[in-house]
Amino acid sequence: MLYYLKYITTICAIFSALTLHAQSLNSYETSARFTVRGVVIEEDTRTPISNVNVEVNGGAYTTTDHFGEFRIDVKKGDELTIKHKDFETIYYTIKSNERIIVKVESSLTNSYSTKRYRENLSPRFNDFIDSAEVYLKKDAKKSIQFITEAIELGTTKKENAEAYEVLGDINMHWKQSDLAVSNYRISLQSLRRNVVSLKLAEAYKTNGNYQESIAEYKAIPKRELSNYQLVRLYEGLGDVYINIKEFDTSISAYKTGLRIANKHLITPKVTDLNSKIAQALSAKGEVNKAEAYFDTSLRQANTQNKKRALEEKLKVADFKSEVNSFSDEIELRKQALKDIEDIETDSVLDNESALTPQKQKYKIGRAYAQQNNIGSAIEYLEESIEEAETKEDLIVKKDATRKLSELYETEGNFDKALSAYQEYVDVVDKLYVKKEQQIAQAARFSKDLVAKQNRITSLESDRALSESKYALGIEQTKRQSVIIYALIGGLFLLLLVAFLMYKYIRQQRLANNLLALKSLRSQMNPHFIFNALNSVNSFIALNDERTANKYLTDFSKLMRAVLENSEEDFIPLEKEIELLQLYTQLEHFRFKDKFEYSVTVDETITVSDFMIPPMLLQPYIENAVWHGLRYKKEKGVLSISISKISDNEIQIVVADNGIGRARSQALKTKNQKKQNSKGMGNIKKRVAILNDMYKDKVDVAVSDYQYDEDTGTKVTVTLKKD
């Protein structure tokens, strides 16, 4: 949202036909409620301002929508209060149903939003809509013509929705509820608005589609309605249920609306709903309850303008007539005649109105006749006939002359009865001719309206066709996009499957390697244990029990450490050195006269940084002792040295000056050759598997140690840091 600096505001009303509106203003009734439209925009860029609070002093409330627009039910003389956190509160007095624009000055400009709004804002479109509303109650043809122009100019769904809403209003006013239903539905298809949904439900009711009306009313989200709209909803539901004779449900709906109207001080609706509850109770046969509600509605109406009070007074008079309370009826209608005189000084009542004096005098005469007060009845009927003749109200004149003829006959004055009856026949003939003319005019009028409606329908069909073509193009583009995305998705899926298969194969390979390592370690441990136990056995054979016990104690320590590490792929180098020292010590204990040994570790090496496969060096030391040094004539030497190659690499050398690999091989029996080959093969397999799993971490090289008679053997193990 734009930031609004100073509270500089101007309110201006735009109207396309000011002179026409001025003419209509003379006949405008101050008591009538109507819907006023408005918009709140930035003055320079015309950018709409949403969420502006708009309130009427009578209690109605709404806010501006995304387009900065609002609608609110008002009457002439109401004061609008327009509030927002970014500008000063504005007060505006309603003078007519003209469109209101509130302009606010801003120091910042958003070029994108400005351009977009200017494209969407159509002053000419609004002019045609306003003109259509001006002529709505005067000239249906001209009003529909303006709507046609507006539809042709409309470029957005919002404008299309507004045009068809006004077209539906025209249809409703001219009692074409079937067309109103169609146009309100088109409006809602373009843009869903609760105010139009309420109008559609009303149109359904007027057209006799009662179930559709109930469904539409119930489908409207009540939380989104203003208090006034919520009252209208329950009032509309009550009206529908009255029409289908469900009086209890109708009364319940009216009472719900009445509670809301009382709570929020919506005075006109308090009067209306009390009156409608009374009518429903009367139709149900609960006369006493109905009378109480009529009394309340009459008191409420008297606090409002004269016309509203008069309308309610006449409703009560009709009720009194229905319950045969003719004295009360006569009194109320005589009071109404005085009120009608006051109203007629300000406005003209057409013959269709229920408030005309000729109708009230006719009903007073009829009430007197019900009381057998023939003299008073004749007096009011004659006045009614005279008034009707002056105002050319043939319907009232027809009814009054017929009733007058009946009263003269009852009185025995047959000459006057005959004269009145003949006049009645003449009025009927005139009325018949007039009705024929009205029917012909109505047919022509209906034909013209249908033609204009057909043109609008044609425009909508063209628009729908264009939108269909556009939608088809969009659909084709979507299909192509779907195909492309499907191919990309398929490729991605293949890559994912390939990756998962590769990962699975690696996991399987790793599992196989781990299983192989475990198998190789399990093969090496029995071999090592077997050799060690042979040593213990030899001590026992020599009856050297003490030496055997000491050897067995050291051997148990070694075995415990070996078994603890048997499940590991790598152990710390310092632990492997401890195991080697313990194992070499055991072998030296057995073959003291055959060799001496030394274990040397470079002081610059951080031993804890390196890891080594367990039992990797032990078989090479075992080979050096058992197959090299053991067969040497003089005492030999076994050296184990650990030196530094680089910060990440060290070298472990196991060297002996024994008889060498060639002579050792020659001295072996067939079984020894087989066992040695198998042991060395296991070590090679272990190294190969570990290097495959850990990227060449270990390297083992076996060579001759020297060139003397006893060449000896040198095993070089290169170990890399993790």
mmCIF file of all heavy atoms in Angstrom, residues 345-384:
data_model
loop_
_atom_site.group_PDB
_atom_site.id
_atom_site.type_symbol
_atom_site.label_atom_id
_atom_site.label_comp_id
_atom_site.label_asym_id
_atom_site.label_seq_id
_atom_site.Cartn_x
_atom_site.Cartn_y
_atom_site.Cartn_z
ATOM 1 N N THR A 345 -48.337 17.419 -0.943
ATOM 2 C CA THR A 345 -47.758 18.750 -1.148
ATOM 3 C C THR A 345 -46.299 18.667 -1.561
ATOM 4 O O THR A 345 -45.772 19.585 -2.175
ATOM 5 C CB THR A 345 -47.874 19.581 0.146
ATOM 6 O OG1 THR A 345 -47.178 18.907 1.195
ATOM 7 C CG2 THR A 345 -49.329 19.785 0.532
ATOM 8 N N ASP A 346 -45.621 17.555 -1.204
ATOM 9 C CA ASP A 346 -44.197 17.391 -1.527
ATOM 10 C C ASP A 346 -43.953 16.493 -2.731
ATOM 11 O O ASP A 346 -42.932 16.603 -3.398
ATOM 12 C CB ASP A 346 -43.439 16.802 -0.320
ATOM 13 C CG ASP A 346 -43.513 17.721 0.885
ATOM 14 O OD1 ASP A 346 -43.510 18.949 0.675
ATOM 15 O OD2 ASP A 346 -43.580 17.206 2.007
ATOM 16 N N SER A 347 -44.850 15.570 -3.008
ATOM 17 C CA SER A 347 -44.627 14.622 -4.101
ATOM 18 C C SER A 347 -45.956 14.221 -4.718
ATOM 19 O O SER A 347 -47.017 14.399 -4.121
ATOM 20 C CB SER A 347 -43.895 13.379 -3.585
ATOM 21 O OG SER A 347 -44.645 12.752 -2.573
ATOM 22 N N VAL A 348 -45.861 13.668 -5.922
ATOM 23 C CA VAL A 348 -47.051 13.237 -6.652
ATOM 24 C C VAL A 348 -47.191 11.733 -6.499
ATOM 25 O O VAL A 348 -46.240 10.986 -6.738
ATOM 26 C CB VAL A 348 -46.948 13.616 -8.145
ATOM 27 C CG1 VAL A 348 -48.162 13.109 -8.904
ATOM 28 C CG2 VAL A 348 -46.799 15.124 -8.291
ATOM 29 N N LEU A 349 -48.396 11.287 -6.101
ATOM 30 C CA LEU A 349 -48.651 9.857 -5.952
ATOM 31 C C LEU A 349 -49.373 9.368 -7.200
ATOM 32 O O LEU A 349 -50.451 9.867 -7.538
ATOM 33 C CB LEU A 349 -49.509 9.599 -4.714
ATOM 34 C CG LEU A 349 -48.914 10.045 -3.367
ATOM 35 C CD1 LEU A 349 -49.947 9.861 -2.251
ATOM 36 C CD2 LEU A 349 -47.650 9.271 -3.057
ATOM 37 N N ASP A 350 -48.795 8.381 -7.877
ATOM 38 C CA ASP A 350 -49.486 7.854 -9.056
ATOM 39 C C ASP A 350 -50.594 6.905 -8.627
ATOM 40 O O ASP A 350 -50.671 6.489 -7.468
ATOM 41 C CB ASP A 350 -48.507 7.181 -10.016
ATOM 42 C CG ASP A 350 -47.756 6.042 -9.358
ATOM 43 O OD1 ASP A 350 -48.391 5.268 -8.612
ATOM 44 O OD2 ASP A 350 -46.533 5.910 -9.579
ATOM 45 N N ASN A 351 -51.443 6.551 -9.580
ATOM 46 C CA ASN A 351 -52.611 5.724 -9.261
ATOM 47 C C ASN A 351 -52.246 4.310 -8.827
ATOM 48 O O ASN A 351 -53.087 3.599 -8.267
ATOM 49 C CB ASN A 351 -53.558 5.673 -10.470
ATOM 50 C CG ASN A 351 -54.205 7.026 -10.740
ATOM 51 O OD1 ASN A 351 -54.368 7.836 -9.833
ATOM 52 N ND2 ASN A 351 -54.575 7.281 -11.992
ATOM 53 N N GLU A 352 -51.004 3.890 -9.113
ATOM 54 C CA GLU A 352 -50.567 2.554 -8.693
ATOM 55 C C GLU A 352 -50.293 2.499 -7.202
ATOM 56 O O GLU A 352 -50.270 1.430 -6.604
ATOM 57 C CB GLU A 352 -49.300 2.149 -9.454
ATOM 58 C CG GLU A 352 -49.461 2.069 -10.961
ATOM 59 C CD GLU A 352 -50.402 0.946 -11.374
ATOM 60 O OE1 GLU A 352 -50.406 -0.092 -10.679
ATOM 61 O OE2 GLU A 352 -51.130 1.115 -12.355
ATOM 62 N N SER A 353 -50.044 3.663 -6.605
ATOM 63 C CA SER A 353 -49.695 3.704 -5.186
ATOM 64 C C SER A 353 -50.886 3.309 -4.326
ATOM 65 O O SER A 353 -52.043 3.610 -4.638
ATOM 66 C CB SER A 353 -49.219 5.109 -4.809
ATOM 67 O OG SER A 353 -49.031 5.218 -3.416
ATOM 68 N N ALA A 354 -50.594 2.664 -3.205
ATOM 69 C CA ALA A 354 -51.655 2.292 -2.249
ATOM 70 C C ALA A 354 -52.061 3.469 -1.388
ATOM 71 O O ALA A 354 -53.007 3.370 -0.588
ATOM 72 C CB ALA A 354 -51.165 1.157 -1.365
ATOM 73 N N LEU A 355 -51.360 4.604 -1.538
ATOM 74 C CA LEU A 355 -51.578 5.740 -0.648
ATOM 75 C C LEU A 355 -52.529 6.786 -1.224
ATOM 76 O O LEU A 355 -52.703 7.843 -0.622
ATOM 77 C CB LEU A 355 -50.224 6.415 -0.333
ATOM 78 C CG LEU A 355 -49.103 5.498 0.169
ATOM 79 C CD1 LEU A 355 -47.864 6.316 0.464
ATOM 80 C CD2 LEU A 355 -49.532 4.727 1.403
ATOM 81 N N THR A 356 -53.125 6.524 -2.380
ATOM 82 C CA THR A 356 -53.979 7.554 -2.997
ATOM 83 C C THR A 356 -55.248 7.766 -2.176
ATOM 84 O O THR A 356 -55.814 6.823 -1.608
ATOM 85 C CB THR A 356 -54.356 7.146 -4.429
ATOM 86 O OG1 THR A 356 -55.039 5.902 -4.394
ATOM 87 C CG2 THR A 356 -53.123 7.026 -5.298
ATOM 88 N N PRO A 357 -55.750 9.027 -2.121
ATOM 89 C CA PRO A 357 -56.966 9.305 -1.315
ATOM 90 C C PRO A 357 -58.193 8.576 -1.843
ATOM 91 O O PRO A 357 -59.057 8.171 -1.052
ATOM 92 C CB PRO A 357 -57.113 10.830 -1.426
ATOM 93 C CG PRO A 357 -56.285 11.240 -2.598
ATOM 94 C CD PRO A 357 -55.182 10.251 -2.709
ATOM 95 N N GLN A 358 -58.298 8.391 -3.181
ATOM 96 C CA GLN A 358 -59.485 7.714 -3.712
ATOM 97 C C GLN A 358 -59.570 6.268 -3.224
ATOM 98 O O GLN A 358 -60.664 5.744 -2.951
ATOM 99 C CB GLN A 358 -59.518 7.779 -5.253
ATOM 100 C CG GLN A 358 -58.369 7.095 -5.983
ATOM 101 C CD GLN A 358 -57.222 8.045 -6.288
ATOM 102 O OE1 GLN A 358 -57.054 9.043 -5.574
ATOM 103 N NE2 GLN A 358 -56.454 7.761 -7.329
ATOM 104 N N LYS A 359 -58.406 5.611 -3.091
ATOM 105 C CA LYS A 359 -58.427 4.226 -2.596
ATOM 106 C C LYS A 359 -58.843 4.177 -1.137
ATOM 107 O O LYS A 359 -59.599 3.290 -0.716
ATOM 108 C CB LYS A 359 -57.051 3.584 -2.783
ATOM 109 C CG LYS A 359 -56.731 3.250 -4.229
ATOM 110 C CD LYS A 359 -55.370 2.591 -4.360
ATOM 111 C CE LYS A 359 -55.070 2.277 -5.827
ATOM 112 N NZ LYS A 359 -53.735 1.745 -6.041
ATOM 113 N N GLN A 360 -58.339 5.131 -0.348
ATOM 114 C CA GLN A 360 -58.659 5.122 1.080
ATOM 115 C C GLN A 360 -60.136 5.462 1.323
ATOM 116 O O GLN A 360 -60.790 4.869 2.179
ATOM 117 C CB GLN A 360 -57.740 6.094 1.819
ATOM 118 C CG GLN A 360 -56.268 5.732 1.735
ATOM 119 C CD GLN A 360 -56.014 4.278 2.067
ATOM 120 O OE1 GLN A 360 -56.504 3.763 3.081
ATOM 121 N NE2 GLN A 360 -55.256 3.596 1.204
ATOM 122 N N LYS A 361 -60.679 6.416 0.552
ATOM 123 C CA LYS A 361 -62.107 6.765 0.696
ATOM 124 C C LYS A 361 -62.996 5.600 0.276
ATOM 125 O O LYS A 361 -64.036 5.340 0.896
ATOM 126 C CB LYS A 361 -62.419 8.002 -0.144
ATOM 127 C CG LYS A 361 -61.821 9.280 0.443
ATOM 128 C CD LYS A 361 -62.078 10.492 -0.445
ATOM 129 C CE LYS A 361 -61.460 11.756 0.173
ATOM 130 N NZ LYS A 361 -61.663 12.947 -0.673
ATOM 131 N N TYR A 362 -62.565 4.878 -0.771
ATOM 132 C CA TYR A 362 -63.322 3.686 -1.186
ATOM 133 C C TYR A 362 -63.335 2.643 -0.066
ATOM 134 O O TYR A 362 -64.384 2.064 0.260
ATOM 135 C CB TYR A 362 -62.710 3.101 -2.459
ATOM 136 C CG TYR A 362 -63.155 1.692 -2.742
ATOM 137 C CD1 TYR A 362 -64.474 1.411 -3.122
ATOM 138 C CD2 TYR A 362 -62.263 0.629 -2.606
ATOM 139 C CE1 TYR A 362 -64.875 0.108 -3.364
ATOM 140 C CE2 TYR A 362 -62.658 -0.665 -2.843
ATOM 141 C CZ TYR A 362 -63.967 -0.934 -3.222
ATOM 142 O OH TYR A 362 -64.368 -2.224 -3.458
ATOM 143 N N LYS A 363 -62.181 2.434 0.575
ATOM 144 C CA LYS A 363 -62.107 1.420 1.634
ATOM 145 C C LYS A 363 -62.865 1.858 2.883
ATOM 146 O O LYS A 363 -63.443 1.025 3.597
ATOM 147 C CB LYS A 363 -60.643 1.113 1.956
ATOM 148 C CG LYS A 363 -59.940 0.366 0.830
ATOM 149 C CD LYS A 363 -58.500 0.028 1.186
ATOM 150 C CE LYS A 363 -57.835 -0.754 0.052
ATOM 151 N NZ LYS A 363 -56.441 -1.108 0.341
ATOM 152 N N ILE A 364 -62.886 3.182 3.144
ATOM 153 C CA ILE A 364 -63.682 3.676 4.278
ATOM 154 C C ILE A 364 -65.168 3.436 4.001
ATOM 155 O O ILE A 364 -65.929 2.976 4.875
ATOM 156 C CB ILE A 364 -63.407 5.175 4.517
ATOM 157 C CG1 ILE A 364 -61.974 5.379 5.030
ATOM 158 C CG2 ILE A 364 -64.410 5.756 5.523
ATOM 159 C CD1 ILE A 364 -61.558 6.834 5.131
ATOM 160 N N GLY A 365 -65.613 3.758 2.752
ATOM 161 C CA GLY A 365 -67.013 3.510 2.387
ATOM 162 C C GLY A 365 -67.361 2.044 2.504
ATOM 163 O O GLY A 365 -68.447 1.679 3.003
ATOM 164 N N ARG A 366 -66.462 1.186 2.110
ATOM 165 C CA ARG A 366 -66.709 -0.257 2.203
ATOM 166 C C ARG A 366 -66.822 -0.698 3.665
ATOM 167 O O ARG A 366 -67.644 -1.553 4.025
ATOM 168 C CB ARG A 366 -65.575 -0.999 1.496
ATOM 169 C CG ARG A 366 -65.840 -2.472 1.273
ATOM 170 C CD ARG A 366 -64.696 -3.090 0.514
ATOM 171 N NE ARG A 366 -63.440 -2.945 1.249
ATOM 172 C CZ ARG A 366 -62.253 -3.370 0.809
ATOM 173 N NH1 ARG A 366 -62.184 -3.931 -0.392
ATOM 174 N NH2 ARG A 366 -61.169 -3.198 1.521
ATOM 175 N N ALA A 367 -65.970 -0.117 4.559
ATOM 176 C CA ALA A 367 -66.017 -0.462 5.983
ATOM 177 C C ALA A 367 -67.329 -0.001 6.603
ATOM 178 O O ALA A 367 -67.947 -0.714 7.416
ATOM 179 C CB ALA A 367 -64.827 0.167 6.701
ATOM 180 N N TYR A 368 -67.774 1.224 6.222
ATOM 181 C CA TYR A 368 -69.074 1.703 6.732
ATOM 182 C C TYR A 368 -70.205 0.776 6.275
ATOM 183 O O TYR A 368 -71.156 0.514 7.020
ATOM 184 C CB TYR A 368 -69.337 3.127 6.248
ATOM 185 C CG TYR A 368 -68.759 4.200 7.158
ATOM 186 C CD1 TYR A 368 -67.923 5.199 6.666
ATOM 187 C CD2 TYR A 368 -69.095 4.230 8.508
ATOM 188 C CE1 TYR A 368 -67.400 6.186 7.484
ATOM 189 C CE2 TYR A 368 -68.579 5.226 9.348
ATOM 190 C CZ TYR A 368 -67.722 6.185 8.834
ATOM 191 O OH TYR A 368 -67.221 7.158 9.663
ATOM 192 N N ALA A 369 -70.115 0.300 5.041
ATOM 193 C CA ALA A 369 -71.143 -0.613 4.518
ATOM 194 C C ALA A 369 -71.177 -1.892 5.346
ATOM 195 O O ALA A 369 -72.259 -2.449 5.604
ATOM 196 C CB ALA A 369 -70.869 -0.924 3.055
ATOM 197 N N GLN A 370 -69.974 -2.371 5.792
ATOM 198 C CA GLN A 370 -69.927 -3.569 6.632
ATOM 199 C C GLN A 370 -70.609 -3.320 7.981
ATOM 200 O O GLN A 370 -71.135 -4.242 8.591
ATOM 201 C CB GLN A 370 -68.460 -3.988 6.857
ATOM 202 C CG GLN A 370 -67.763 -4.496 5.607
ATOM 203 C CD GLN A 370 -68.266 -5.846 5.167
ATOM 204 O OE1 GLN A 370 -68.860 -6.601 5.951
ATOM 205 N NE2 GLN A 370 -68.079 -6.161 3.886
ATOM 206 N N GLN A 371 -70.651 -2.056 8.418
ATOM 207 C CA GLN A 371 -71.307 -1.701 9.679
ATOM 208 C C GLN A 371 -72.783 -1.324 9.463
ATOM 209 O O GLN A 371 -73.450 -0.901 10.401
ATOM 210 C CB GLN A 371 -70.571 -0.517 10.324
ATOM 211 C CG GLN A 371 -69.188 -0.859 10.847
ATOM 212 C CD GLN A 371 -68.531 0.362 11.485
ATOM 213 O OE1 GLN A 371 -68.696 1.500 11.016
ATOM 214 N NE2 GLN A 371 -67.786 0.127 12.554
ATOM 215 N N ASN A 372 -73.254 -1.427 8.192
ATOM 216 C CA ASN A 372 -74.623 -1.032 7.818
ATOM 217 C C ASN A 372 -74.884 0.459 8.015
ATOM 218 O O ASN A 372 -76.035 0.891 8.181
ATOM 219 C CB ASN A 372 -75.668 -1.846 8.603
ATOM 220 C CG ASN A 372 -75.663 -3.313 8.176
ATOM 221 O OD1 ASN A 372 -75.533 -3.600 6.981
ATOM 222 N ND2 ASN A 372 -75.790 -4.207 9.141
ATOM 223 N N ASN A 373 -73.826 1.250 8.012
ATOM 224 C CA ASN A 373 -73.947 2.709 8.055
ATOM 225 C C ASN A 373 -73.980 3.181 6.605
ATOM 226 O O ASN A 373 -72.991 3.673 6.055
ATOM 227 C CB ASN A 373 -72.768 3.310 8.816
ATOM 228 C CG ASN A 373 -72.948 4.797 9.085
ATOM 229 O OD1 ASN A 373 -73.781 5.469 8.442
ATOM 230 N ND2 ASN A 373 -72.170 5.321 10.028
ATOM 231 N N ILE A 374 -75.135 2.992 5.963
ATOM 232 C CA ILE A 374 -75.266 3.203 4.526
ATOM 233 C C ILE A 374 -75.013 4.656 4.153
ATOM 234 O O ILE A 374 -74.338 4.942 3.142
ATOM 235 C CB ILE A 374 -76.671 2.763 4.041
ATOM 236 C CG1 ILE A 374 -76.951 1.309 4.472
ATOM 237 C CG2 ILE A 374 -76.790 2.907 2.528
ATOM 238 C CD1 ILE A 374 -75.982 0.318 3.931
ATOM 239 N N GLY A 375 -75.506 5.596 4.957
ATOM 240 C CA GLY A 375 -75.359 7.014 4.633
ATOM 241 C C GLY A 375 -73.897 7.420 4.539
ATOM 242 O O GLY A 375 -73.468 8.050 3.561
ATOM 243 N N SER A 376 -73.108 7.051 5.583
ATOM 244 C CA SER A 376 -71.684 7.393 5.582
ATOM 245 C C SER A 376 -70.948 6.657 4.462
ATOM 246 O O SER A 376 -70.041 7.200 3.824
ATOM 247 C CB SER A 376 -71.065 7.038 6.931
ATOM 248 O OG SER A 376 -71.651 7.800 7.964
ATOM 249 N N ALA A 377 -71.360 5.416 4.213
ATOM 250 C CA ALA A 377 -70.718 4.628 3.158
ATOM 251 C C ALA A 377 -70.915 5.300 1.807
ATOM 252 O O ALA A 377 -69.969 5.441 1.018
ATOM 253 C CB ALA A 377 -71.279 3.212 3.144
ATOM 254 N N ILE A 378 -72.171 5.719 1.529
ATOM 255 C CA ILE A 378 -72.463 6.371 0.242
ATOM 256 C C ILE A 378 -71.671 7.670 0.114
ATOM 257 O O ILE A 378 -71.122 7.990 -0.948
ATOM 258 C CB ILE A 378 -73.988 6.630 0.105
ATOM 259 C CG1 ILE A 378 -74.722 5.294 -0.076
ATOM 260 C CG2 ILE A 378 -74.288 7.580 -1.051
ATOM 261 C CD1 ILE A 378 -76.241 5.422 -0.054
ATOM 262 N N GLU A 379 -71.578 8.411 1.204
ATOM 263 C CA GLU A 379 -70.854 9.687 1.187
ATOM 264 C C GLU A 379 -69.394 9.477 0.763
ATOM 265 O O GLU A 379 -68.882 10.178 -0.120
ATOM 266 C CB GLU A 379 -70.926 10.323 2.575
ATOM 267 C CG GLU A 379 -70.163 11.647 2.672
ATOM 268 C CD GLU A 379 -70.138 12.189 4.093
ATOM 269 O OE1 GLU A 379 -70.879 11.665 4.969
ATOM 270 O OE2 GLU A 379 -69.370 13.135 4.345
ATOM 271 N N TYR A 380 -68.704 8.491 1.391
ATOM 272 C CA TYR A 380 -67.283 8.273 1.080
ATOM 273 C C TYR A 380 -67.092 7.650 -0.302
ATOM 274 O O TYR A 380 -66.118 7.927 -0.995
ATOM 275 C CB TYR A 380 -66.626 7.412 2.168
ATOM 276 C CG TYR A 380 -66.132 8.247 3.333
ATOM 277 C CD1 TYR A 380 -66.925 8.425 4.472
ATOM 278 C CD2 TYR A 380 -64.897 8.863 3.279
ATOM 279 C CE1 TYR A 380 -66.485 9.198 5.530
ATOM 280 C CE2 TYR A 380 -64.446 9.638 4.341
ATOM 281 C CZ TYR A 380 -65.229 9.819 5.456
ATOM 282 O OH TYR A 380 -64.783 10.596 6.496
ATOM 283 N N LEU A 381 -68.036 6.807 -0.721
ATOM 284 C CA LEU A 381 -67.931 6.208 -2.056
ATOM 285 C C LEU A 381 -68.090 7.274 -3.137
ATOM 286 O O LEU A 381 -67.371 7.259 -4.149
ATOM 287 C CB LEU A 381 -68.980 5.111 -2.227
ATOM 288 C CG LEU A 381 -68.723 3.813 -1.446
ATOM 289 C CD1 LEU A 381 -69.923 2.880 -1.558
ATOM 290 C CD2 LEU A 381 -67.456 3.119 -1.932
ATOM 291 N N GLU A 382 -69.010 8.225 -2.926
ATOM 292 C CA GLU A 382 -69.186 9.301 -3.908
ATOM 293 C C GLU A 382 -67.933 10.178 -3.977
ATOM 294 O O GLU A 382 -67.501 10.594 -5.060
ATOM 295 C CB GLU A 382 -70.421 10.139 -3.547
ATOM 296 C CG GLU A 382 -71.740 9.419 -3.842
ATOM 297 C CD GLU A 382 -72.954 10.214 -3.389
ATOM 298 O OE1 GLU A 382 -72.763 11.154 -2.558
ATOM 299 O OE2 GLU A 382 -74.081 9.913 -3.833
ATOM 300 N N GLU A 383 -67.347 10.453 -2.799
ATOM 301 C CA GLU A 383 -66.104 11.234 -2.784
ATOM 302 C C GLU A 383 -64.978 10.459 -3.498
ATOM 303 O O GLU A 383 -64.164 11.046 -4.215
ATOM 304 C CB GLU A 383 -65.696 11.544 -1.346
ATOM 305 C CG GLU A 383 -66.588 12.563 -0.663
ATOM 306 C CD GLU A 383 -66.131 12.855 0.760
ATOM 307 O OE1 GLU A 383 -64.990 12.460 1.100
ATOM 308 O OE2 GLU A 383 -66.893 13.476 1.532
ATOM 309 N N SER A 384 -64.945 9.145 -3.281
ATOM 310 C CA SER A 384 -63.933 8.304 -3.928
ATOM 311 C C SER A 384 -64.085 8.351 -5.442
ATOM 312 O O SER A 384 -63.100 8.479 -6.177
ATOM 313 C CB SER A 384 -64.053 6.860 -3.425
ATOM 314 O OG SER A 384 -63.180 6.012 -4.137
#
